[in-house]
Amino acid sequence: MKKQTAILLLIIVTIIWGGGFVAIKQALDYGVSAGLLNMIRGLIFSVLVFVSFPKAVLNMSREQLKNGLLVGTFNFLGFILQAIGAIYTTPSNSSFLTTTNVVMVPFLAWALYKVRPKMRNLLAVVVCMCGMAVLTGALNTRFVLNIGDRYTIAGAFFFAMSIVLLARQPAGGHFARGAFLLGFTLFAGSRIYAFAIEGVNIAACDWNRAIWPILYLAVGSNFVAQSLQIIAQKHLSASTASLVMMLEGVFGSAFSIMFGYENFTLNLLVGGALILCSLVLSEIQIVKKKKL
């Protein structure tokens, strides 16, 4: 596969993920709770993977199982906190704040694997914090993140943890094994949360309308987008892939405005641009070393 084709596939992935922020908001508006939404999403995702790649799923090793369950647990926590946060914040804020996980990854890798972050990572954090201050209106009043923003940032942290752990997954495994475990842990964890903590009322949901955004998330954002991501990233460097996937926040904001969840504002433009700049800074080399 040519590099240009791989980049195009990743752009398609970010478009699908960007639409996912609106789909989450729609499902929540139709009465589907955060836990129930992710329970159904995880169930459909894992079933689709198993039906498509049964031999690969059944032949996973013990190490692949352990790694997949660990990564899946952090992935579940990211999804559930993201969905809870979406109840209280806009799809645009949710999309931009979720993408801050790219800035967190170098510092988590330092804590877990002793890989020291570079100066550009520190600068990226400063720019990212400025972007969040503008995006959330902190510069106009006092610095306060609403409860939805805080849940979303916490979710971004767990997404970052899953990315760091996924980088150390056992070699030689079929991608379907990890994908199945991501779906399974999302289903299992969300089921416990939905019925033990939320006390969910299935009959209160408007299923005639909610089923469509749920299917978009399960089939589109999970099964299709994550499969395309794995295929495309085999032909791109990590830095190139990360830069392309930053477009998720841009498309999330665009879809939010398109579907009428918010108006286009200067805070949205400047805050979003600063967050995107922080993500770019976390991936580029600022000063080149001189050759002796």
Side-chain angles (χ1 to χ4, degrees), residues 27 41-42 44 52 72 86 98-99 104 129 153 180 186 200 218 237 254:
R41 181 178 181 177
I44 295 173
S52 301
T98 297
T99 56
M104 301 177 192
M129 291 179 65
I153 293 171
F180 173 78
L186 181 60
V200 65
S237 66

Side-chain angles (χ1 to χ4, degrees), residues 106-123:
F107 298 94
L108 291 174
W110 186 16
L112 293 175
Y113 306 130
K114 310 304 180 185
V115 180
R116 187 182 297 273
K118 299 177 181 178
M119 183 58 66
R120 64 174 183 263
N121 301 129
L122 300 175
L123 180 58

Side-chain angles (χ1 to χ4, degrees), residues 145-160:
L145 292 171
N146 71 39
I147 187 66
D149 295 332
R150 280 179 273 176
Y151 273 122
T152 305
I153 293 171
F157 168 79
F158 287 112
F159 281 135

Side-chain angles (χ1 to χ4, degrees), residues 37-278:
L37 167 62
N38 282 297
M39 184 187 81
I40 299 172
R41 181 178 181 177
L43 177 62
I44 295 173
F45 179 27
S46 56
V47 169
L48 285 175
V49 174
F50 183 80
V51 171
S52 301
F53 309 99
K55 291 183 179 179
V57 173
L58 292 173
N59 292 326
M60 72 175 69
S61 67
R62 181 176 296 182
E63 283 300 312
Q64 290 165 345
L65 176 62
K66 288 170 57 179
N67 180 265
L69 290 176
L70 181 61
V71 174
T73 299
F74 283 107
N75 189 65
F76 150 69
L77 291 170
F79 273 120
I80 198 70
L81 288 168
Q82 181 191 66
I84 295 171
I87 300 173
Y88 307 103
T89 193
T90 64
S92 178
N93 274 26
S94 181
S95 63
F96 276 119
L97 294 178
T98 297
T99 56
T100 60
N101 67 74
V102 177
V103 178
M104 301 177 192
V105 166
F107 298 94
L108 291 174
W110 186 16
L112 293 175
Y113 306 130
K114 310 304 180 185
V115 180
R116 187 182 297 273
K118 299 177 181 178
M119 183 58 66
R120 64 174 183 263
N121 301 129
L122 300 175
L123 180 58
V125 170
V126 174
V127 176
C128 182
M129 291 179 65
C130 292
M132 285 194 291
V134 174
L135 188 68
T136 56
L139 298 182
N140 299 331
T141 54
R142 59 191 180 93
F143 185 73
V144 176
L145 292 171
N146 71 39
I147 187 66
D149 295 332
R150 280 179 273 176
Y151 273 122
T152 305
I153 293 171
F157 168 79
F158 287 112
F159 281 135
M161 279 294 298
S162 69
I163 292 171
V164 172
L165 293 172
L166 195 59
R168 295 298 179 97
Q169 63 181 309
H174 193 284
F175 82 90
R177 295 165 188 165
F180 173 78
L181 290 172
L182 287 178
F184 175 77
T185 50
L186 181 60
F187 162 71
S190 299
R191 187 181 189 283
I192 295 172
Y193 180 85
F195 289 96
I197 298 178
E198 288 180 333
V200 65
N201 183 2
I202 297 178
C205 304
D206 184 356
W207 292 108
N208 289 331
R209 292 193 290 177
I211 189 62
W212 301 112
I214 291 174
L215 285 175
Y216 178 93
L217 291 166
V219 180
S221 294
N222 288 115
F223 183 67
V224 175
Q226 289 189 323
S227 296
L228 289 177
Q229 177 193 6
I230 293 170
I231 294 170
Q233 283 196 236
K234 292 180 180 179
H235 307 278
L236 295 172
S237 66
S239 59
T240 300
S242 297
L243 288 171
V244 176
M245 287 190 288
M246 290 171 194
L247 292 172
E248 176 188 3
V250 177
F251 289 119
S253 180
F255 281 117
S256 178
I257 296 170
M258 187 184 305
F259 281 83
Y261 280 97
E262 58 193 303
N263 297 319
F264 181 83
T265 64
L266 183 60
N267 275 16
L268 182 64
L269 175 64
V270 177
L274 284 172
I275 293 175
L276 284 177
C277 285
S278 74

